[in-house]
Amino acid sequence: MTMLPPELQAQAERQWQRYQAAATPEQLGGLPTDKHDLLRAFGLSDFIAESCIRYPELLPQLHASGELEQTERRATYQPALAALLADVGEEEAFKRALRRFRCRHMLVIAWRELLGRAEVEESFHHLSALAEVLICGAEQWLHARLCAEFGVPVDAEGQPLRLQILGMGKLGGGELNFSSDIDLIFSFRENGQTRGGRRTLENQAFFIRLGQQLINALHQPTVDGQVFRVDMRLRPFGEAGPLVVSFAALEDYYQQHGRNWERYAMVKARVLGPASADGQALAQLLHPFVYRRYVDFSAIDALRKMKGMIEAEVRRKGLRDNIKLGAGGIRELEFIVQVYQLIRGGREPGLQVRHLPEALAALGSLGGLPSGTVARLQQAYRFLRRVENVLQEIGDQQTQTLPGNERDRLRLVAALGFADWTAFYQALQQTQTLVHHEFRVVVGESEEAGSGVAQVWQDIWQTPLEQAELAAWLEEQSMAQAPALAEALLRFRQESQRRQMGPQGREALGRLMPALLAELVTQPQPAALFERLQRLLGQIATRTAYLQLLVENPGALGQLLRLCAANALIAQQLARYPLLLDELLDPAQLYHPTPLQEYRDELRQYLLRVPEEDVEQQMEALRQFKQIQLLKISAADIAGALPLMQVSDHLTWLAEAIIEEVVNQAWSQVSARYGVPPHCARSGERGFAVIGYGKLGGIELGYGSDLDLVFLHGDEVEGLTEGARPIDVRQFYGRLAQRILHLFSARTPSGQLYEVDMRLRPSGEAGLLVSSLAAYERYLLQEAWTWEHQALVRARLVQGEPAMAAAFQRIRSKVLSQPRERSALQAEVREMRAKMRTHLLRGSAEQFDLKQGAGGMADIEFMAQFLVLAHAAEHADTLPRWSDNVRIFEACVAAGVLAPAAAAGLTAAYLAIRDLSHRCSLSGESRLVGAEQLLAERARVTALWQQLLETAPA
């Protein structure tokens, strides 16, 4: 150990002379003869010298006990303080005991670190333990006093309650610095009243008194100094909030009003004192607020803003050479670690630690930071914290600023073992440069956190203006539809101000809206687009994570506008299910829908994340999968990556994959309860089929299409199921059908899976939910109307075993191939078409109804159905084969019942009408278009209708 510089040696001699004057001969005789360590400590620290001079008995006691040489002393703190306070009855004596106890043990900590006997880790472990023992010991003494007067605070069941003290910041993290404030939050489990005292108090009032007395006992300066400066500003609502709140009030605050900086503070929060059930409950209550289940990128911006505020404070106060708040200081190093903790701590339990060196080590083992970076940051943290402690041990002052006077500079250099100030300062700058570089890599500079949005859009959103003023301002920015947009913006702003959003939400919305306006100015119809977005924004306004997703990902915001501008249905879906916003993050995936043959595999993989026994979560997952896939199909459709026919193919294959999974789940649930029919147990087959009619059957599903379904079972229906609760086989299939319908129609948080229409089953709404093959065949041959045979043309099996598929196809071909009298068939088809037009036709003479108008979609579908019913008897091998219109027309050409030109004209008209209808659906418009639309196509359809259905057959 090097000799002290002459100036410090002279200072040490002066302090030693003062100590000799204050101490008794006996006390002086209790000191070691070698005064080297004593003089070095006196020269380095005024705190050590002044404490020894004020309490001259301390130094000989410490030498006699050997405490100055002990590496581990924490276990002695609590019993020593308890013994000291056991004999204290008066408040002044209580305060004096606390302060002298602190002085004794702080002197040991400073002595060991300044003389090189202790690493900095030993110091802040002991400092944190000492603070905890003093806080909890003082609380116990004061609690007993208050209980003697007011009784014991109890819960509803009469169980006693204690004040729960949260240690925040470095105290909670076990890394308290030498002259730190202590940040505390007080809480208690349950409201109620005290019992057994001379007077009764509400629990909250009792604990507020206790909290006030505890703060006073620790914080109040006396002739013996302070125990600790106490800061309570981290409590709910800060200085405006009550000093102590119940667990319920604490939880409500963090759910409703908690801000990102409070999450940051809570990373290190720890319930002080011995472990208890209430302490554990408090920690569990706070955990979800701190550690989000999802990857939380909002933490980066929150910490960046906090750093910006700190930098502004440094500039305002003119702070220089501040090793805590300056660039590359302790706070930046803490931010580096806590960014990872807040972002990924919910997914990585290893990051849920309070002690910063432990968190750094966890980051290295989890791959968050390279091992070399972790090692350098650990070394930097140790060095900066040692500099901080030495600075504070000089005079027990809370400072992180390098000294300006020569004596304290010499002390700092000597204690840290550097040759001179230049060598120390160079090492410090190298350390801070390293930390600041890593901070910029991880968090970024506050100056870089700007949104990149022109200031005018921020002003437009933030400035309170009348509608006319706002519209004029928007027009100056070349915004189309400025008056309408101004009205919508003001309405949305007023609505958002009324919402319970919390500070984080308002801040995120305040950043999102200028960026949104900057995008809207490029749109041809910004007011119309904002109307679509408004519902979505209203839905996510109270979900800060979604607002932050759009703020932090400009690409996602751009995708959102593009999709909503082109597709009103997407805007509606996103508004209903904001979960889909996550899909906007990856355009490469978004614009490439799942290959047709992979929907079943993708769905199975998606459902693997949900336990099979959790029926509700399985239902929710099915709906989420459908919505994600719909978004991808829509995006590819809008981007032009999918032609119309392929869009319908994707929607149909998606529906079939979901139908199969629903049937599987329903079968599993019903058979688990009742067992399976005997023939199923023997064959391993279910003997059950789902028939798709209408657009599903015709492979023409649209985005909002419902499913026209018919359920069939095989003809082996005798007996009971083989299970713990056997039921009739027919009843089993009925229960299966009911379960399928429930899985489709039940509303979960993600809505309904599909609207299912069962009216095309035998006997319609009066019929059984599920029919046997024989009953189905008998009904179609003997009772069905012609329009039901027309519907059968567009029917196909969408789920079922090969045997059921073959049986259905046989029945369908047989029914469709019956000989029919042509003129009677014409009349019946015309009559049904006339009824449909009467009931369903929309619009006026200036409009064309794409579906029901003359020459529209329904006319084409009816002609396809007529051609099959009229000619299938002669062409039973070809015409009943297909259920989609395009291939029906191709088959009719092959059979010679339709001229190639006529088929081409019908197909072209059909695709043109479908395409326009599809575009109307995407944009949220009705199927009514101007009467001048598609005149040539409609004329061809009408002419062929006249030829096929109005002209008497040859």
Side-chain angles (χ1 to χ4, degrees):
M1 187 178 296
T2 59
M3 292 290 293
L4 288 177
E7 183 180 340
L8 296 184
Q9 191 67 34
Q11 173 70 7
E13 292 292 345
R14 286 192 292 271
Q15 298 286 40
W16 167 243
Q17 291 171 10
R18 292 180 61 209
Y19 179 76
Q20 285 180 304
T24 65
E26 292 79 9
Q27 291 167 345
L28 290 171
L31 299 178
T33 55
D34 183 357
K35 302 294 187 294
H36 178 270
D37 284 353
L38 185 149
L39 290 173
R40 185 173 180 84
F42 278 15
L44 292 175
S45 171
D46 292 338
F47 162 72
I48 291 177
E50 296 296 339
S51 297
C52 291
I53 292 166
R54 174 178 288 181
Y55 309 115
E57 72 279 5
L58 260 182
L59 205 51
Q61 288 176 3
L62 292 173
H63 277 291
S65 67
E67 288 177 67
L68 295 175
E69 306 303 323
Q70 293 173 8
T71 303
E72 179 53 65
R73 307 172 304 283
R74 288 177 289 180
T76 66
Y77 289 164
Q78 193 277 330
L81 181 63
L84 184 64
L85 295 180
D87 298 328
V88 172
E90 297 300 322
E91 185 175 353
E92 292 306 313
F94 163 67
K95 291 180 179 179
R96 183 166 56 252
L98 292 177
R99 283 152 179 77
R100 291 190 176 184
F101 187 86
R102 172 199 185 265
C103 181
R104 175 192 181 104
H105 293 285
M106 293 288 277
L107 191 153
V108 175
I109 293 167
W111 182 289
R112 287 183 54 77
E113 185 165 6
L114 289 172
L115 296 186
R117 308 282 175 79
E119 296 293 337
V120 70
E121 288 86 357
E122 178 188 316
S123 294
F124 53 62
H125 288 324
H126 282 77
L127 288 163
S128 302
L130 177 62
E132 182 170 1
V133 164
L134 283 162
I135 294 164
C136 295
E139 186 274 337
Q140 289 167 6
W141 191 88
L142 292 166
H143 178 88
R145 265 187 103 198
L146 275 176
C147 287
E149 182 176 357
F150 298 107
V152 178
V154 295
D155 62 14
E157 297 176 356
Q159 296 299 312
L161 300 175
R162 293 300 295 260
L163 181 68
Q164 300 300 315
I165 305 173
L166 276 173
M168 309 296 287
K170 290 186 172 65
L171 172 59
E175 51 201 83
L176 201 65
N177 57 39
F178 191 81
S179 295
S180 178
D181 290 354
I182 54 170
D183 296 290
L184 304 177
I185 294 177
F186 299 151
S187 186
F188 64 98
R189 176 161 50 83
E190 191 176 308
N191 287 317
Q193 290 185 326
T194 59
R195 292 184 189 176
R198 293 191 298 273
R199 294 192 299 165
T200 297
L201 278 181
E202 295 292 327
N203 285 349
Q204 185 175 27
F206 176 94
F207 286 119
I208 286 175
R209 287 194 185 207
L210 176 57
Q212 290 169 336
Q213 292 182 14
L214 178 58
I215 293 168
N216 180 268
L218 298 172
H219 186 90
Q220 184 185 39
T222 70
V223 293
D224 295 295
Q226 285 178 301
V227 184
F228 294 105
R229 291 173 298 276
V230 180
D231 191 335
M232 299 296 298
R233 289 175 296 176
L234 291 178
R235 69 184 188 267
F237 299 108
E239 293 177 314
L243 185 65
V244 190
V245 295
S246 68
F247 285 8
L250 199 68
E251 182 176 30
D252 181 69
Y253 172 81
Y254 288 117
Q255 285 182 351
Q256 300 294 327
H257 306 285
R259 291 158 288 180
N260 265 320
W261 67 262
E262 289 173 300
R263 286 184 63 208
Y264 164 79
M266 281 289 174
V267 167
K268 290 181 177 290
R270 178 168 59 90
V271 182
L272 303 182
S276 68
D278 283 0
Q280 185 177 9
L282 178 57
Q284 290 174 346
L285 178 152
L286 295 171
H287 188 272
F289 170 66
V290 183
Y291 295 110
R292 307 287 166 82
R293 287 179 294 177
Y294 48 83
V295 178
D296 183 13
F297 291 104
S298 68
I300 294 178
D301 189 58
L303 293 181
R304 195 186 290 134
K305 279 190 171 64
M306 289 176 63
K307 174 61 178 171
M309 294 185 335
I310 290 167
E311 288 172 343
E313 185 74 0
V314 170
R315 289 191 297 269
R316 186 177 68 82
K317 292 182 176 179
L319 300 177
R320 287 175 54 85
D321 287 337
N322 190 292
I323 63 165
K324 178 180 180 180
L325 304 180
I330 295 168
R331 184 56 56 83
E332 282 193 356
L333 206 157
E334 291 171 338
F335 280 179
I336 292 169
V337 177
Q338 285 165 322
V339 160
Y340 285 102
Q341 288 184 285
L342 291 177
I343 291 175
R344 302 194 181 276
R347 295 275 184 94
E348 298 286 355
L351 292 175
Q352 297 176 14
V353 292
R354 301 179 186 90
H355 192 53
L356 188 139
E358 290 179 17
L360 255 178
L363 271 177
S365 62
L366 292 169
L369 287 173
S371 58
T373 300
V374 169
R376 288 190 294 274
L377 289 177
Q378 291 274 27
Q379 186 177 0
Y381 183 69
R382 191 176 296 114
F383 177 68
L384 291 171
R385 288 302 308 275
R386 181 149 165 69
V387 172
E388 179 183 42
N389 264 8
V390 171
L391 282 173
Q392 296 181 358
E393 286 161 353
I394 290 172
D396 194 14
Q397 297 295 313
Q398 187 186 29
T399 179
Q400 287 92 13
T401 301
L402 297 181
N405 64 79
E406 186 63 23
R407 177 189 294 172
D408 287 345
R409 285 188 171 190
L410 289 172
R411 286 168 161 169
L412 188 59
V413 166
L416 294 172
F418 284 92
D420 53 34
W421 180 258
T422 301
F424 159 72
Y425 199 69
Q426 183 178 4
L428 176 64
Q429 287 185 314
Q430 289 174 347
T431 300
Q432 290 179 312
T433 299
L434 163 72
V435 172
H436 188 58
H437 169 73
E438 294 300 331
F439 175 82
R440 292 182 61 183
V441 169
V442 175
V443 179
E445 293 282 16
S446 57
E447 289 81 9
E448 297 168 1
S451 64
V453 177
Q455 185 65 40
V456 64
W457 301 115
Q458 299 178 40
D459 294 342
I460 283 174
W461 172 247
Q462 294 167 0
T463 307
L465 296 169
E466 296 296 326
Q467 183 175 330
E469 296 174 305
L470 180 56
W473 201 352
L474 290 171
E475 285 176 345
E476 289 177 13
Q477 312 311 314
S478 303
M479 180 77 78
Q481 298 182 315
L485 180 59
E487 180 183 358
L489 278 173
L490 288 177
R491 185 169 60 248
F492 177 70
R493 181 186 289 156
Q494 291 165 359
E495 290 172 0
S496 64
Q497 288 170 349
R498 291 194 295 268
R499 290 181 181 271
Q500 296 292 326
M501 294 175 63
Q504 288 175 266
R506 297 203 183 281
E507 181 182 346
L509 185 65
R511 291 186 60 203
L512 174 62
M513 288 305 297
L516 180 60
L517 288 170
E519 292 280 349
L520 283 175
V521 76
T522 66
Q523 299 290 327
Q525 295 183 306
L529 177 53
F530 184 72
E531 287 288 347
R532 290 183 187 176
L533 293 168
Q534 202 168 342
R535 186 179 169 207
L536 169 62
L537 292 172
Q539 285 291 95
I540 67 173
T542 54
R543 308 183 192 189
T544 306
Y546 288 122
L547 292 174
Q548 204 68 46
L549 182 151
L550 295 173
V551 168
E552 291 286 339
N553 296 277
L557 180 60
Q559 298 292 345
L560 174 66
L561 265 69
R562 182 183 182 190
L563 291 171
C564 291
N567 190 332
L569 291 177
I570 286 183
Q572 293 170 14
Q573 287 294 98
L574 288 169
R576 291 175 66 191
Y577 315 118
L579 176 78
L580 296 174
L581 285 173
D582 293 337
E583 299 300 316
L584 298 176
L585 287 174
D586 189 355
Q589 292 292 323
L590 178 64
Y591 290 99
H592 292 85
T594 301
L596 290 175
Q597 303 306 324
E598 294 181 17
Y599 278 111
R600 285 176 168 81
D601 289 340
E602 284 285 320
L603 177 54
R604 279 192 286 270
Q605 290 295 321
Y606 192 84
L607 292 175
L608 285 177
R609 68 187 71 182
V610 182
E612 288 186 18
E613 64 276 8
D614 193 333
V615 176
E616 290 186 5
Q617 284 301 311
Q618 288 277 338
M619 291 168 65
E620 178 72 358
L622 276 171
R623 285 149 178 78
Q624 291 176 0
F625 178 81
K626 177 196 172 187
Q627 289 153 13
I628 290 169
Q629 299 302 325
L630 281 178
L631 184 63
K632 291 182 177 181
I633 295 167
S634 301
D637 183 6
I638 291 164
L642 284 181
L644 169 65
M645 298 290 282
Q646 290 185 29
V647 170
S648 291
D649 289 347
H650 278 272
L651 294 172
T652 302
W653 260 252
L654 170 63
E656 289 186 24
I658 291 174
I659 290 169
E660 180 179 293
E661 182 58 36
V662 167
V663 171
N664 289 342
Q665 290 188 16
W667 182 274
S668 176
Q669 293 164 21
V670 175
S671 62
R673 190 170 189 182
Y674 302 112
V676 298
H679 66 278
C680 298
R682 291 193 304 272
S683 66
E685 295 186 346
R686 297 173 180 170
F688 182 80
V690 179
I691 311 302
Y693 276 72
K695 290 183 177 179
L696 174 62
I699 317 178
E700 298 169 1
L701 280 183
Y703 291 109
S705 297
D706 57 9
L707 303 182
D708 293 296
L709 302 181
V710 169
F711 300 144
L712 302 177
H713 64 70
D715 293 328
E716 295 185 60
V717 290
E718 300 303 323
L720 302 176
T721 57
E722 299 180 356
R725 299 175 58 187
I727 58 174
D728 181 82
V729 171
R730 290 184 181 85
Q731 190 179 10
F732 172 87
Y733 282 116
R735 297 274 174 90
L736 176 63
Q738 290 172 343
R739 190 62 192 167
I740 291 169
L741 293 176
H742 170 74
L743 292 176
F744 273 119
S745 62
R747 292 196 174 275
T748 74
S750 290
Q752 199 174 31
L753 190 54
Y754 281 102
E755 190 82 36
V756 175
D757 191 336
M758 296 287 294
R759 289 175 295 177
L760 288 173
R761 68 185 186 269
S763 302
E765 292 179 333
L768 297 172
L769 279 180
V770 56
S771 301
S772 68
L773 288 167
Y776 180 67
E777 180 177 6
R778 185 168 54 252
Y779 175 82
L780 288 174
L781 290 172
Q782 299 176 11
E783 302 176 44
W785 297 83
T786 297
W787 66 263
E788 290 176 287
H789 289 177
Q790 287 180 245
L792 188 63
V793 171
R794 288 165 59 78
R796 62 188 180 89
L797 183 136
V798 294
Q799 207 282 321
E801 293 134 351
M804 293 295 292
F808 168 73
Q809 192 57 36
R810 178 190 61 78
I811 294 169
R812 180 174 177 272
S813 295
K814 182 177 180 180
V815 172
L816 296 181
S817 301
Q818 290 182 99
R820 292 174 175 84
E821 201 281 314
R822 195 72 51 82
S823 60
L825 179 63
Q826 284 178 322
E828 290 176 7
V829 172
R830 286 199 307 270
E831 182 182 354
M832 177 52 63
R833 182 71 190 93
K835 285 181 180 178
M836 184 182 288
R837 186 173 284 125
T838 299
H839 289 93
L840 301 176
L841 180 65
R842 300 181 190 172
S844 61
E846 291 76 33
Q847 295 172 309
F848 171 55
D849 185 334
L850 290 167
K851 185 170 184 179
Q852 298 297 338
M857 184 80 69
D859 283 355
I860 298 173
E861 292 171 350
F862 269 55
M863 282 190 279
Q865 294 159 13
F866 170 78
L867 287 167
V868 173
L869 295 178
H871 299 285
E874 300 90 37
H875 304 281
D877 293 338
T878 55
L879 289 189
R881 183 176 180 184
W882 305 112
S883 60
D884 61 291
N885 292 316
V886 171
R887 284 188 289 191
I888 287 174
F889 293 144
E890 292 172 352
C892 288
V893 172
V897 299
L898 188 65
L906 277 178
T907 300
Y910 171 70
L911 294 178
I913 294 171
R914 262 189 73 188
D915 187 63
L916 183 54
S917 175
H918 184 69
R919 299 302 155 203
C920 290
S921 176
L922 281 177
S923 61
E925 299 171 4
S926 74
R927 68 189 192 211
L928 300 177
V929 299
E932 74 286 354
Q933 296 269 33
L934 303 172
L935 290 174
E937 290 83 358
R938 290 154 55 191
R940 282 198 297 270
V941 173
T942 304
L944 198 57
W945 177 274
Q946 187 71 29
Q947 178 184 331
L948 291 177
L949 288 153
E950 303 289 349
T951 305

